[in-house]
Amino acid sequence: MIELDGITKSYTIGESQVRALDGVNLMIEEGEFMAIMGASGSGKSTLMHILGLLDLPDSGSYRLMGKQIAKLNDDELATLRNNVTGFVFQQFHLLGRMSALDNVMLPGLYSDRQRDFCADALARLKTVGLAHRADQRPSQMSGGEQQRVAIARALICDPMLIFADEPTGNLDTKNSYEIMRILTELHRQGKTVVMVTHEHDIAAYADRVITMQDGKIIEDRRNGGEAERPERDSTMMQVEHQPLFNPSRMLGFVAQAFRSITANKIRTLLSVLGILVGVASVIAMMALGAGAGTSMEESLKSLGSNLLSVRGGSAKVRGAARGTGSFTRFTRQDVQAIAELSPLVSRASGYVNGSVQMVYLNKNWSSSVEGVGFDYGTMRAAMPSFGRWFTREEIRSRRKVAIIGTTIVSELFGDEYPVGKTIKINRINFRVIGVLPHKGFGGHRDRDDVVYIPVTTAMHRVLGRDYLNSIYVEVSSAENIEPAKGAIDALVRKRHRIRAGDEDSFYIRDMSEFKEMLSSTTQTMSTFLGSIAAISLVVGGIGIMNIMLVSVTERTREIGLRKAIGARKSDIMVQFLIESVGLTLSGGLIGIVVGIGVSVMLSTFAGWAVKTSIFSVVLASGFSVLIGLFFGLWPAKKAAGLKPVEALRYE
Ligand code: ADP
Ligand code: MG
């Protein structure tokens, strides 16, 4: 069954080489019960590890049931460890976080066979006389009981070979005899048992005893007659390749991950905090961005539709005219001429503005004045909510009448009803005839802190200039905007005798440009906010990676054990990835709740416009999964790459 030929294994300690095994030749027949004896350091454990597939020899050949072990790959070795060999360690190596039953069932997680491992595990616990302690944790058990649980675990996948490295080394005599009774019984049932011990009365249970010294077998002795045993078929050697995504196995991994995540709650909470904050800020910022976008759109609507503005100066410098350029001075005759461009233009209004000082009784207020034409109110959705709009006659004959915004109402009048009262604008008496509808803030400007007066009055009586700042034009329909621009351009050029080669001294702007400007501002803002959120997600991810690396180091022995009972590289990898994704995803989900909470609070208490979208929730959850995968990959790889013996020996 087992053929070893010229096996050597050396370890390098510092400068020197230790030959732990020095040309070991050994044949073990099926059904044998063999004990390995020898002084400490003679190479017994090294030999056992090689026999149990936990380590590979430096040279020599190892044939297990006819197969060359050296030719097998990692996954095939894992499968053999899982269901052909069972290893019992001197230090038991039970996982402290699990019950005895779960410990016994653990190899089932890595098995390709579909069985009810739970029932089997109970049966195995019964075999070792511990069925009544199935729910207890290793820490609640004596050493002898722990070793019996470990034996039950070695038996769960029905291995043909049992390897036990000083199974009684840490036990008292009574428990040692109990363990030996179990091993003898297994041997009687037909298992091949190989055991290391340095006690002669323990070795006496075996039918064959070999003795080692300095990495060599120096004695091979049989106790009594050897019974012939029937040859068993070796179907167990068939290595099946299971797909990685086996649902029930995945479920098992998720349960394991859940267990280890919840094992250390404070640490888990602290490590997901970064992700939590990151995701919460992504959600809140996207809600704010979307809310700002919507409220801007609404305020754009209140600016009026199909609106053009015609201004003097050059448009090349955004918003402001360049100092050197010439400057077309528009007159009310220009407004008249543009308004008559039917059917492209439906209405037009002149516009001037400036700043003024306003006084009512003993109250003072500086504000901006806007001189507007008759059609301005309807064009810009500014018809008074109290009182009335100007009449054509008032505008024509430069009357001193004013319509004031709500900010001015509260600053000058408080609770008093303003319509019909007289105020002073730049020391000239004006009669208030109406109150403008509330418009709120536009950007950083209070759009209610404004007073409207007739454009003629503004030009000639208040601001003292004989030209308009701009002309607002309402185009008859959205399709006519471009033709109207062309017609107005031609008209202005003709009226002001601007020749083709001249530098532009006026420009026409439509609201779409304004909209673009606004949306590019919002875009810049959301990109900025988004990158802050992304940075915090990355920082959170690094935190997760850190915690996963700590976890891998901390659980090196657990990983070694899992590999020893048949976990493949991919199994370990997947388990750690599920853990890191579990961490980031739970952080992400809490973060989503917190983010939505913050947005709701911002809108109720600070009055900000917010709009949470399903998209941001999906995006945030997707991102937290990706971050878990990305930052969990390295620790998971590190864990999967550990060698079973080295990991088990890790202190
Ligand atoms: P035994 O189990 O018979 O006491 P081992 O097989 O554990 O002996 O060790 C055999 C020799 O190899 C000893 O000299 C030991 O110091 C050395 N050895 C075992 N494992 C290692 C290791 N991981 N690194 C370095 N030397 C080792
Ligand atoms: Mg040893």
Side-chain angles (χ1 to χ4, degrees):
M1 183 165 204
I2 288 178
E3 295 167 54
L4 296 183
D5 196 10
I7 295 286
T8 65
K9 177 88 187 171
S10 326
Y11 296 103
T12 316
I13 311 173
E15 301 284 285
S16 64
Q17 284 253 330
V18 179
R19 278 216 147 202
L21 291 180
D22 191 5
V24 172
N25 304 316
L26 182 64
M27 296 272 279
I28 301 175
E29 296 298 328
E30 170 151 21
E32 271 192 295
F33 187 0
M34 192 178 97
I36 303 176
M37 296 196 70
S40 179
S42 56
K44 306 182 296 291
S45 295
T46 308
L47 178 61
M48 285 296 267
H49 291 149
I50 288 174
L51 285 173
L53 307 172
L54 303 182
D55 206 355
L56 292 172
D58 292 341
S59 68
S61 111
Y62 175 13
R63 288 160 73 86
L64 178 61
M65 291 188 280
K67 283 215 170 185
Q68 255 312 339
I69 293 305
K71 291 205 181 111
L72 301 179
N73 64 27
D74 275 350
D75 283 358
E76 290 165 329
L77 285 176
T79 308
L80 290 182
R81 287 199 284 266
N82 184 244
N83 55 34
V84 175
T85 64
F87 213 102
V88 179
F89 303 91
Q90 181 177 354
Q91 306 86 342
F92 327 134
H93 288 313
L94 298 178
L95 297 189
R97 278 185 271 108
M98 302 182 179
S99 68
L101 185 70
D102 287 332
N103 264 294
V104 176
M105 274 168 66
L106 199 59
L109 183 65
Y110 305 113
S111 171
D112 291 338
R113 281 175 280 177
Q114 301 284 333
R115 278 200 344 224
D116 181 3
F117 282 103
C118 185
D120 282 355
L122 264 178
R124 297 294 190 277
L125 276 175
K126 207 168 171 171
T127 318
V128 298
L130 286 175
H132 59 293
R133 320 229 17 198
D135 293 331
Q136 284 180 351
R137 300 215 167 183
S139 55
Q140 296 165 304
M141 298 182 167
S142 73
E145 287 166 333
Q146 289 188 50
Q147 190 61 298
R148 277 142 71 190
V149 173
I151 293 176
R153 179 181 62 195
L155 295 175
I156 186 79
C157 285
D158 244 336
M160 305 162 79
L161 278 155
I162 310 274
F163 296 104
D165 190 357
E166 303 201 36
T168 62
N170 284 2
L171 303 180
D172 58 29
T173 327
K174 184 169 160 285
N175 277 308
S176 300
Y177 288 136
E178 178 60 23
I179 299 295
M180 288 321 296
R181 195 192 58 72
I182 295 169
L183 289 179
T184 314
E185 174 61 22
L186 290 171
H187 166 240
R188 208 184 52 71
Q189 286 167 9
K191 307 256 184 230
T192 309
V193 180
V194 180
M195 168 185 78
V196 169
T197 181
H198 42 230
E199 289 171 57
H200 285 282
D201 49 347
I202 297 289
Y205 282 86
D207 10 87
R208 179 180 173 193
V209 181
I210 64 168
T211 309
M212 294 189 70
Q213 193 181 352
D214 297 334
K216 290 197 180 71
I217 296 177
I218 53 161
E219 194 189 339
D220 190 344
R221 173 168 53 81
R222 281 170 206 274
N223 294 341
E226 189 194 345
E228 266 312 307
R229 283 167 206 283
E231 193 67 28
R232 279 215 307 205
D233 71 331
S234 34
T235 44
M236 305 253 189
M237 286 295 287
Q238 303 311 320
V239 177
E240 297 160 41
H241 284 281
Q242 281 284 115
L244 185 60
F245 289 97
N246 171 333
S248 68
R249 186 185 283 208
M250 278 298 149
L251 221 61
F253 286 151
V254 170
Q256 300 267 319
F258 184 74
R259 212 194 294 258
S260 72
I261 286 176
T262 49
N264 215 331
K265 294 193 185 63
I266 301 277
R267 183 205 277 187
T268 302
L269 194 74
L270 289 178
S271 63
V272 301
L273 215 53
I275 298 288
L276 195 156
V277 171
V279 167
S281 40
V282 168
I283 296 279
M285 288 187 178
M286 286 183 78
L288 270 180
T294 327
S295 68
M296 278 203 187
E297 241 158 60
E298 266 161 25
S299 48
L300 274 179
K301 257 184 225 148
S302 76
L303 288 177
S305 54
N306 302 338
L307 219 52
L308 297 179
S309 67
V310 187
R311 273 166 214 254
S314 161
K316 280 173 194 143
V317 179
R318 190 169 256 192
R322 286 193 311 190
T324 55
S326 53
F327 200 102
T328 303
R329 298 190 158 191
F330 293 108
T331 62
R332 298 198 62 223
Q333 284 70 42
D334 291 322
V335 178
Q336 196 56 39
I338 289 173
E340 281 162 9
L341 281 175
S342 76
L344 293 176
V345 170
S346 48
R347 293 180 273 205
S349 165
Y351 176 90
V352 284
N353 64 349
S355 27
V356 288
Q357 191 68 29
M358 298 169 64
V359 179
Y360 174 69
L361 302 179
N362 59 347
K363 293 202 190 92
N364 241 297
W365 186 247
S366 22
S367 177
S368 59
V369 70
E370 301 189 6
V372 299
F374 180 76
D375 287 318
Y376 191 84
T378 37
M379 280 163 62
R380 309 235 24 206
M383 291 308 279
S385 46
F386 297 103
R388 60 173 180 87
W389 186 251
F390 309 111
T391 62
R392 284 188 196 276
E393 173 54 24
E394 279 167 340
I395 292 175
R396 203 180 51 77
S397 51
R398 306 179 187 177
R399 288 284 162 72
K400 294 175 282 181
V401 283
I403 305 176
I404 58 180
T406 51
T407 301
I408 296 176
V409 173
S410 53
E411 291 298 338
L412 290 186
F413 292 93
D415 292 336
E416 232 179 298
Y417 186 64
V419 177
K421 301 280 173 4
T422 301
I423 55 173
K424 281 186 197 295
I425 299 178
N426 282 4
R427 301 200 193 151
I428 304 166
N429 279 336
F430 274 77
R431 193 159 51 85
V432 177
I433 59 165
V435 176
L436 291 169
H438 177 69
K439 288 208 165 183
F441 273 83
H444 48 86
R445 195 168 64 93
D446 180 1
R447 290 191 291 143
D448 295 318
D449 188 7
V450 65
V451 53
Y452 284 9
I453 57 177
V455 63
T456 49
T457 321
M459 283 162 73
H460 303 293
R461 292 184 187 242
V462 179
L463 301 172
R465 52 173 101 124
D466 57 359
Y467 60 92
L468 297 164
N469 288 76
S470 53
I471 301 173
Y472 280 92
V473 182
E474 190 182 274
V475 182
S476 52
S477 71
E479 304 84 71
N480 282 343
I481 286 182
E482 285 310 314
K485 273 175 154 178
I488 293 168
D489 188 72
L491 182 76
V492 173
R493 280 175 195 283
K494 194 170 132 219
R495 290 180 59 89
H496 291 266
R497 300 194 182 83
I498 302 167
R499 270 172 289 127
D502 285 357
E503 197 188 345
D504 288 348
S505 57
F506 71 99
Y507 64 95
I508 306 171
R509 185 184 258 187
D510 64 28
M511 285 300 160
S512 65
E513 280 172 43
F514 190 50
K515 256 183 209 169
E516 263 163 38
M517 203 177 79
L518 269 188
S519 70
S520 82
T521 313
T522 0
Q523 206 119 49
T524 319
M525 204 176 73
S526 10
T527 316
F528 175 67
L529 295 180
S531 32
I532 291 179
I535 289 170
S536 62
L537 276 181
V538 169
V539 172
I542 293 170
I544 294 286
M545 174 145 73
N546 183 25
I547 230 63
M548 290 308 294
L549 282 175
V550 169
S551 167
V552 169
T553 312
E554 234 180 32
R555 289 155 65 192
T556 301
R557 286 224 272 173
E558 172 191 331
I559 296 163
L561 174 83
R562 286 177 187 274
K563 291 200 127 183
I565 59 175
R568 302 168 194 177
K569 263 189 175 158
S570 57
D571 292 332
I572 299 291
M573 182 111 179
V574 168
Q575 184 192 334
F576 274 85
L577 279 183
I578 288 179
E579 273 180 36
S580 62
V581 170
L583 282 176
T584 52
L585 188 62
S586 47
L589 293 181
I590 306 173
I592 287 172
V593 174
V594 172
I596 292 177
V598 167
S599 333
V600 169
M601 287 213 312
L602 282 180
S603 78
T604 36
F605 296 118
W608 292 8
V610 298
K611 207 169 138 197
T612 322
S613 65
I614 293 292
F615 172 71
S616 65
V617 170
V618 173
L619 188 81
S621 345
F623 249 106
S624 35
V625 169
L626 277 184
I627 282 180
L629 282 177
F630 183 77
F631 288 101
L633 201 61
W634 183 36
K637 266 203 139 116
K638 199 175 156 192
L642 289 173
K643 293 213 177 72
V645 228
E646 282 166 25
L648 277 172
R649 202 181 288 125
Y650 184 85
E651 292 298 330

